Amino acid sequence: YSRNLNGLWNLGGVVLLWSAAHVEWYYPALRANHTHLEVNQSTARRLVPLLLSNHSLAAALRKAARAVHERYLCPECLGGFWSLVLDKLSNHSQMGAVLGSDAQLRRLLLHAGCSRQRWRRVGSGLTATNRSFEML
């Protein structure tokens, strides 16, 4: 995911996305000319001056992009997304047989040398914290 876009939208920036085949996971929420301007080599010279001279367009792009940020790119949103991805990967690869219980996960972490870390439950997994194996 692009931390740069996250930062720009969080700070109220207007984004010009270069037209490309690659996408990020949140791109389905984006709409060209609504959340950003899509540019390429032939359109950039025309769209940049348009954006600089059209303050209402810039304001509308900022507002729509901020909504995407608040829904998909805020810190809690990113944590939720990655938690979902890891849960799906765990289910798909049937990791429950190895990590299906807190006790199994603790044994694995301790065996891997994580005994000095402190862990707590977040969602369906354990993450580092300043508490010792506290299950929330």
Side-chain angles (χ1 to χ4, degrees):
Y1 109 97
S2 174
R3 282 184 46 199
N4 185 46
L5 289 181
N6 188 11
L8 291 171
W9 281 324
N10 188 39
L11 295 172
V14 174
V15 170
L16 303 175
L17 284 180
W18 195 260
S19 182
H22 66 276
V23 296
E24 299 278 356
W25 63 272
Y26 57 87
Y27 274 31
L30 303 180
R31 288 190 5 232
N33 303 321
H34 182 72
T35 56
H36 65 283
L37 292 180
E38 188 170 303
V39 298
N40 59 39
Q41 189 173 359
S42 63
T43 62
R45 287 184 185 204
R46 176 178 50 85
L47 291 176
V48 169
L50 170 70
L51 179 61
L52 292 173
S53 66
N54 190 333
H55 299 289
S56 62
L57 172 61
L61 291 169
R62 278 187 197 96
K63 182 177 180 182
R66 183 69 184 180
V68 170
H69 177 272
E70 292 298 323
R71 181 158 186 187
Y72 298 103
L73 300 172
C74 69
E76 296 82 14
C77 305
L78 291 171
F81 169 76
W82 285 111
S83 178
L84 177 65
V85 167
L86 294 174
D87 282 347
K88 296 284 185 184
L89 285 172
S90 177
N91 291 339
H92 178 74
S93 60
Q94 299 178 351
M95 291 302 295
V98 177
L99 303 174
S101 73
D102 292 338
Q104 289 171 309
L105 183 53
R106 278 192 205 98
R107 279 194 299 275
L108 176 70
L109 292 171
L110 293 172
H111 181 74
C114 299
S115 59
R116 293 185 183 187
Q117 290 285 345
R118 299 179 188 274
W119 301 89
R120 72 176 170 99
R121 175 174 288 289
V122 175
S124 61
L126 295 175
T127 61
T129 185
N130 60 358
R131 300 180 192 143
S132 177
F133 292 109
E134 179 181 324
M135 300 302 142
L136 300 177

